[in-house]
Amino acid sequence: MAHWLMKSEPDVYGIAHLEADGTTLWDGIRNYQARNFMRAMTLGDRAFFYHSNATPPGIVGLMEVVETGLIDPSQFDPASPYFDPKASREAPRWDCVRLRYQRSFRQMLSLASLREQFDAEALPLVRRGSRLSILPVTEASALRIYGLLGEAP
DNA sequence: GCCAACGTTGGC
DNA sequence: GCCAACGTTGGC
């Protein structure tokens, strides 16, 4: 069971939306490195839900991977902002996973706090200018994150 | 609004 | 294949 961190803007799709929906398709990822991390996910993996473009940005909750290897349907939809004219049903380019809401943490763990606790090697998220919307989290870093939050793993 | 990081595109 | 220009993400 691996840990990941996945970013979403709370105004677009925040943890409150996921809590209401129960599960969600993590679609619209159009970055190959992020896509490849999704491909590496396995059932039962955990993902920290991170609010980006928020004030402050930070980790707000926890999700579980419940389906893997799904084709992202938005790439075929001309009306979608994620439409990709280079993708076809015969040769899809983007896939995604399904995530289930697990819980919201009692407090947010802000990026500023994470920067006090981790260097970029231990948690690449804290690197200045980091843009990747999906990142792996080592088990050591995951345990420390739970500890800082006062939450059980 | 500015800037850092970095992927993509296109000219050659 | 190189590289400059451009676009996007996202923090501050």
Side-chain angles (χ1 to χ4, degrees):
Chain A
M1 191 268 286
H3 274 88
W4 307 89
L5 183 143
M6 303 175 84
K7 299 181 188 176
S8 187
E9 300 186 24
D11 295 345
V12 178
Y13 194 87
I15 192 146
H17 297 101
L18 178 58
E19 183 174 15
D21 291 347
T23 75
T24 194
L25 209 57
W26 207 269
D27 60 358
I29 298 299
R30 296 293 179 267
N31 171 285
Y32 288 106
Q33 204 176 345
R35 182 201 67 180
N36 292 343
F37 284 140
M38 282 201 292
R39 286 184 174 175
M41 291 180 183
T42 60
L43 294 184
D45 280 1
R46 307 278 184 84
F48 293 111
F49 198 126
Y50 178 92
H51 278 171
S52 60
N53 262 322
T55 46
I59 291 172
V60 294
L62 192 66
M63 307 180 276
E64 181 185 354
V65 177
V66 292
E67 275 186 90
T68 58
L70 304 169
I71 289 173
D72 180 344
S74 66
Q75 66 192 303
F76 309 124
D77 178 6
S80 166
Y82 305 120
F83 176 65
D84 182 350
K86 293 176 182 164
S88 66
R89 302 217 175 249
E90 298 73 39
R93 305 173 95 199
W94 307 108
D95 35 73
C96 56
V97 296
R98 180 169 292 279
L99 294 149
R100 179 195 293 142
Y101 174 82
Q102 216 163 45
R103 58 196 156 112
S104 299
F105 295 134
R106 287 162 293 186
Q107 57 186 53
M108 152 180 282
L109 185 54
S110 70
L111 178 60
S113 311
L114 290 165
R115 287 197 162 128
E116 289 172 11
Q117 298 293 329
F118 295 94
D119 60 23
E121 181 132 354
L123 191 69
L125 170 79
V126 305
R127 184 174 294 118
R128 185 164 149 75
S130 165
R131 289 183 312 153
L132 251 194
S133 64
I134 298 176
L135 302 121
V137 178
T138 66
E139 283 318 291
S141 293
L143 287 173
R144 253 176 98 198
I145 286 167
Y146 289 118
L148 291 164
L149 284 160
E151 297 272 345

